[in-house]
Amino acid sequence: MPAVSKGDGMRGLAVFISDIRNCKSKEAEIKRINKELANIRSKFKGDKALDGYSKKKYVCKLLFIFLLGHDIDFGHMEAVNLLSSNKYTEKQIGYLFISVLVNSNSELIRLINNAIKNDLSSRNPTFMCLALHCIANVGSREMAEAFASEIPRILVAGDTMDSVKQSAALCLLRLYKTSPDLVLMGEWTSRVVHLLNDQHMGVVTAAISLITCLSQKNPDEFKTCVSLAVSRLSRIVSSASTDLQDYTYYFVPAPWLSCKLLRLLQCYPPPEDGAVKGRLVECLETILNKAQEPPKSKKVQHSNAKNAILFEAISLIIHYDSEPNLLVRACNQLGQFLQHRETNLRYLALESMCTLASSEFSHEAVKTHIETVINALKTERDVSVRQRAADLLYAMCDRSNAKQIVAEMLSYLETADYSIREEMVLKVAILAEKYAVDYSWYVDTILNLIRIAGDYVSEEVWYRVIQIVINRDDVQGYAAKTVFEALQAPACHENMVKVGGYILGEFGNLIAGDPRSSPLVQFNLLHSKFHLCSVPTRALLLSAYIKFINLFPETKATIQEVLRCDSQIRNSDVELQQRAVEYLKLSSIASTDVLATVLEEMPPFPERESSILAKLKKKKGPGAVSVTELEDGKREGGELNGGSDRGPDAAAMAASNASTPSPSADLLGIRSTAPVNTAPPSTGSLLVDVFSEAGPAAPSAAVNDDGFLRDLEQPTETSDPLLVEGSGDSDSAPPSEDPAPPLSEADELLEKFVCKNNGVLFENQLLQIGIKSEYRQNLGRMYLFYGNKTSVQFASFSTTVSCPGELQSELNVQSKPVEPLVEGGAQIQQVLNIECLTDFSDAPLLNIKFRYGGALQNLTLKLPVTINKFFQPTEMASQDFFQRWKQLSQPQQEAQKIFKANHGMDTEVIKAKLLGLGMALLDNVDPNPENYVCAGVIQTKGQQVGCLLRLEPNAQAQMYRLTLRCSKDSVSRRLCELLAQQF
Amino acid sequence: MIKFVLMVNQQGQTRLSRYYEPVELSRRAALEAAVVRCCLSRNKEQCSFVEYKDFRLVYRQYAALYVVMGVTHSENELSIYELIQNFVEVLDKYFSRVSELDIMFNLDSVHIILDEMIQNGHVVETNKSRVLAPLTAINKMVDG
């Protein structure tokens, strides 16, 4: 090597740099720099023509000043002048200045282009390289216009020097990226691809960047590169480390090129040609084998270079996801790295294994490393490695290990780094939901999450737990009990108060029987947190209080007292004040019925993708959450929210949110689906209230209008008949054709709804009918959702509800006419109001007529209105039960059936059905704990019918004995018939 | 691809910067400062790859000097890590035991070397003698 003197002989430059280094302060440095800039400026402006050497010196100084972070607004012209110098060093510094300092929209481009043109045609390879380099660095449109057609020629010409080819390849890549329309590869495609065969490794290295980019954009045109890349790779991989002398790095042949070849192959699916594929698999195996061989050098550079190739090979194996053998080997190899002493390797292994976990072939193999990964989460000293470990745990989680992983993540959260807490919280929440089999575990997990990392629990997380609790009636009691306990902690997080307020407001009644959590105790507990909370939480609590008034009339006076005090009713916050005033008024003027309607329990939420998942995706950027994961999320989310039969119904509800009188806004989708509304959130429904704290994030106008107060002030058609007894037959104009007889399966459809109120009533290829109903006392309201499944409009759409025969005097059903047109894919809604006059056995009929493509469709269904819908549960002690049982001892009062089990005899399922029936399920009444007993009162307009039920399963015989005793014999018989089909 | 190459000393002074994507001058200073802070805050036991905004930093420390490359996620981290080593080895060969001062006083030569190895954010040449060929030629001309 030549001796290199400081400053390459440029004394002035060396002096200047030394001066700068000696500056004691930033001010001194700036002063020195300004002095130098003035000096250079005067030199450039001076009359004396500068020689090349001086220009070079000054330009170097400017570069240095620029590096120090000072803007350079002159000298460009001088740099351009240097381009035309014949001295390489001067030309080089000119080009350097331009590529560092000139941006692509400079006015100088034309001058620069001229110089480039000269150099390109000079046939001097070093000059050509500089010129190509400059185009590659500046890459402006004007340059593309001037040179785009020229460069491919230079690239593939036989007589072009290797170094020029390298520069030309990268230059073309830049132009292709900035002006793809100007770079027409057409005729050059094949010759460019064949650069992969170039005997010079440097040319291949440069060309492969270009080919990779072109392949990503036009995979078909470039697919011949696959076989060429495989054979090139094969030659490198199988060569001895001495074969590629110049390109061997610490005994590893061409590591960078190998990585790039493997990366190029990842643009394509596995090769179709068997021979090519065989060769490639051989390469991949060789790479995996080499990892097990003793190292050829102890230097870390050797193992790093080797492992760079190994990781890239594993990426390709994962990309193909078709060779189970290779996938498992890759997993084992990464498993070894998990315990390697090099942090870099552990980091990369965790990251790579994360993608491996999503392959069905290697998921199980990845899972075997769970202990190591958990250990990494606990002991790694580097937060970024711990983060990878958390990612991997998340990726390898499934039903079998969810509880363990969630527990580990929760315990890690207690000490986790602040930077990753929020993400960890989201992950725990998603896993807990996705793999919850047992919903009390889910509730526990989320409440723990709030307890441990309340500050990092975003709105999405606590919205979600509420949504799930509302949709799963089997967990509501547990949730109420658990939040009640959690709220007893002296210092609990505000998010806990929010969840607690919401859940107790909805389901506090489920634990109110216990004197330790009586209504007043619950209220006092909530209210003890009130003053410590922020405005949005207080607003939520106020809504919980008004719900309490409905749930527990005995709390009314206390709560009204609270609402009435100045700190509420004259609160300086307008939202709180408004709520206090309105709730106070509502509670004092509305009748119990109105209150019950307005403040009824929240309906189930429509199912949709978990917003938590959406948030995680947003956080990690698209692609961070794999597609399979999303699908999983949807599928499993569906299960969680009440099973697949609820799906379409939920969708129906989502579509009809805007017009449903009950406040059924969508908890989670609100901000993404709601139309933007700039009006401040006003007196919305409870649900909207919960969301108004999401700030100005646009609650939906539709939902706002939907608020219950509006219902109250202007009783609209839908809530009207519930309060005022309806009169007459309000059916729409009778259609000319007679209604069809009920479908043969109408009875079966009816049975499905004996123990549940919501679901899909009917579905064929054209039409889907979803149903959602609610009953209170002897009144009921049913929402029917007619969905047009086709893309064609239904014309003359009409529905008729009729009560055949005796039913006419037993049941009063009113409906509003529906819109006569149902657009393709659209859904319309109809509300029925039902009043039970006396007990009944038959079901009302629903006839639907419409024209689909000219053909009249006419079908009749039975509406699932059964006598048990009007049940009010009655809790009673064992003694009372048997006393009443004895009182109902007349033979006709009892109905009994012994029947074979139609379904499995699962205790939980039976309990759920009995609860769905509407009676109270009484524990500790029957001396035999295997038996179920229930009690309830059927509310009709005329009378109340007391009913007692006893269900005795015989698991051995797979039989049941069902006994009903009611104060009215017809009711006993009817209930017995209905129920015998359910178990 | 490689977004930028930085050489920064422990005092946070930039000794070399090369951007392969346009970054405004004002943002460069902020970026460089943030990158240095990030690297300085890490110890030797921590890994050499750091997630930074939407890309990744790969860095290596040589005495008081850090060489940092910002790369997209499509790059192979270990190969970049060794590319840094290769670059420094070339500098070492050219300057016969390179020091921070060599880099300061011979910024143009360092740029020539870097440009021979990385163009446009992509590796073009890794063979040391070929990387040094243009400089060797220049020195021959000067000598001759």
Side-chain angles (χ1 to χ4, degrees), chain A residues 404-646:
Chain A
Q404 184 189 8
I405 286 178
V406 167
E408 291 294 348
M409 285 176 124
L410 269 177
S411 78
Y412 172 61
L413 251 179
E414 307 216 26
T415 52
D417 312 76
Y418 293 106
S419 55
I420 63 173
R421 278 195 184 188
E422 191 186 351
E423 197 185 312
M424 290 286 295
V425 165
L426 290 175
K427 286 187 163 152
V428 170
I430 290 168
L431 292 179
E433 177 186 335
K434 197 167 160 187
Y435 299 115
V437 187
D438 159 7
Y439 292 93
S440 49
W441 173 74
Y442 169 75
V443 170
D444 284 341
T445 303
I446 301 295
L447 294 184
N448 263 330
L449 206 54
I450 297 176
R451 194 175 50 75
I452 295 169
D455 283 342
Y456 298 89
V457 172
S458 56
E459 285 163 344
E460 285 84 353
V461 173
W462 76 263
Y463 289 178
R464 188 73 180 164
V465 67
I466 286 175
Q467 184 185 38
I468 284 167
V469 168
I470 286 185
N471 286 14
R472 299 283 317 187
D473 39 19
D474 51 346
V475 77
Q476 289 160 355
Y478 182 81
K481 180 167 157 278
T482 319
V483 287
F484 178 78
E485 281 161 9
L487 285 174
Q488 280 168 329
C492 61
H493 195 272
E494 193 166 332
N495 279 334
M496 188 70 89
V497 179
K498 290 178 184 165
V499 175
Y502 200 109
I503 288 184
L504 292 180
E506 292 292 325
F507 308 114
N509 55 328
L510 299 177
I511 57 166
D514 187 332
R516 284 165 300 174
S517 53
S518 70
L520 265 180
V521 174
Q522 287 184 39
F523 170 74
N524 287 331
L525 180 61
L526 279 181
H527 199 54
S528 69
K529 315 284 178 192
F530 188 91
H531 302 279
L532 303 170
C533 291
S534 62
V535 168
T537 308
R538 289 186 192 193
L540 184 148
L541 285 177
L542 288 179
S543 297
Y545 297 169
I546 185 77
K547 286 224 150 191
F548 264 49
I549 293 186
N550 175 46
L551 284 181
F552 317 117
E554 66 265 41
T555 60
K556 184 168 170 176
T558 317
I559 290 174
Q560 282 183 333
E561 199 56 44
V562 168
L563 292 175
R564 199 175 289 128
C565 74
D566 278 357
S567 64
Q568 307 294 359
I569 213 159
R570 300 211 174 138
N571 195 295
S572 59
D573 184 273
V574 67
E575 178 67 31
L576 291 181
Q577 188 189 95
Q578 189 173 4
R579 284 187 195 216
V581 171
E582 286 174 356
Y583 292 162
L584 182 60
K585 200 74 186 158
L586 177 67
S587 66
S588 31
I589 61 166
S591 70
T592 326
D593 278 355
V594 172
L595 217 51
T597 312
V598 167
L599 300 169
E600 69 191 335
E601 194 179 298
M602 295 298 295
F605 287 94
E607 183 40 41
R608 58 177 61 237
E609 180 191 328
S610 162
S611 62
I612 309 179
L613 209 53
K615 174 151 177 150
L616 185 67
K617 270 187 287 175
K618 204 167 121 198
K619 214 171 151 50
K620 297 284 254 188
V625 184
S626 68
V627 176
T628 45
E629 196 170 340
L630 285 179
E631 282 165 0
D632 274 6
K634 267 187 216 149
R635 177 156 38 79
E636 317 239 358
E639 277 168 37
L640 189 58
N641 284 284
S644 51
D645 62 332
R646 210 174 232 177

Side-chain angles (χ1 to χ4, degrees), chain A residues 92 247 249-250 351 382, chain B residues 42 56 82 89 112 125:
Chain A
Q92 189 267 339
Y247 286 87
Y249 179 80
Y250 290 89
E351 186 180 59
D382 183 348
Chain B
R42 299 174 66 83
R56 193 169 272 186
E82 286 309 314
E89 283 182 16
I112 294 177
E125 188 56 78

